[in-house]
Amino acid sequence: MGRRIASAVATASLVGALGVAGAAPALAAAPAPLSFTIDYTRNTSIPQSPSLGGGFAGNGPVLDAWGRVIGRTFDTCAVDGIEGPTKMDADCGAYIIFNDGDELNLSTQAVIDANPMDYPYRFKAVVEGGTGVYNGARGEATVTAERPGVYKVDVKFS
């Protein structure tokens, strides 16, 4: 009789443990890589001439590879260093809101160049989640400044 009870308890414990392990939620797959262009030249940036210790903000359309508007972006930057007459260090956060309502948040510490002769140049940004399909997303973006105010963004999620 004692063996039956011990066997029943062991079986129940194993079934319970498997049930709990089976009930754990599966991790969501990372979103597919994403590419888009941000064009701040189509809207305003305030102020037009940022200075050390100051900041600036911008907004503009987000475009797909065919130039169609797929969303909007809003960014804020703080100037925390001057690299030369046309270059400044900026700590920036950009919020991309796609037409379907999903939002992707990016952050970077980058050198921004206002000299058109120095384009294109690249810098990295960090994916800091978002909403919808980007909720909890992590990864890295390579940002290519194509000309002043126009940035191609290639995002890889991890």
Side-chain angles (χ1 to χ4, degrees), residues 27-122:
L27 293 175
L34 180 64
S35 293
F36 53 86
T37 298
I38 296 173
D39 188 351
Y40 291 113
T41 67
R42 295 190 184 183
N43 287 38
T44 59
S45 179
I46 303 168
Q48 294 295 324
S49 300
S51 59
L52 182 61
F56 58 96
N59 62 73
V62 176
L63 311 168
D64 67 10
W66 298 274
R68 296 179 298 212
V69 176
I70 59 170
R72 297 199 51 75
T73 187
F74 303 88
D75 80 342
T76 57
C77 297
V79 179
D80 55 9
I82 301 296
E83 296 289 325
T86 63
K87 296 179 184 177
M88 67 188 127
D89 289 319
D91 182 14
C92 301
Y95 309 94
I96 296 94
I97 301 171
F98 295 98
N99 291 343
D100 65 4
D102 289 350
E103 180 180 319
L104 177 64
N105 302 330
L106 302 174
S107 175
T108 189
Q109 172 71 37
V111 174
I112 297 177
D113 194 340
N115 182 352
M117 301 304 286
D118 292 340
Y119 284 75
Y121 65 89
R122 289 181 176 80

Side-chain angles (χ1 to χ4, degrees), residues 10-32:
T11 302
S13 297
L14 179 60
V15 168
L18 290 174
V20 169
L27 293 175

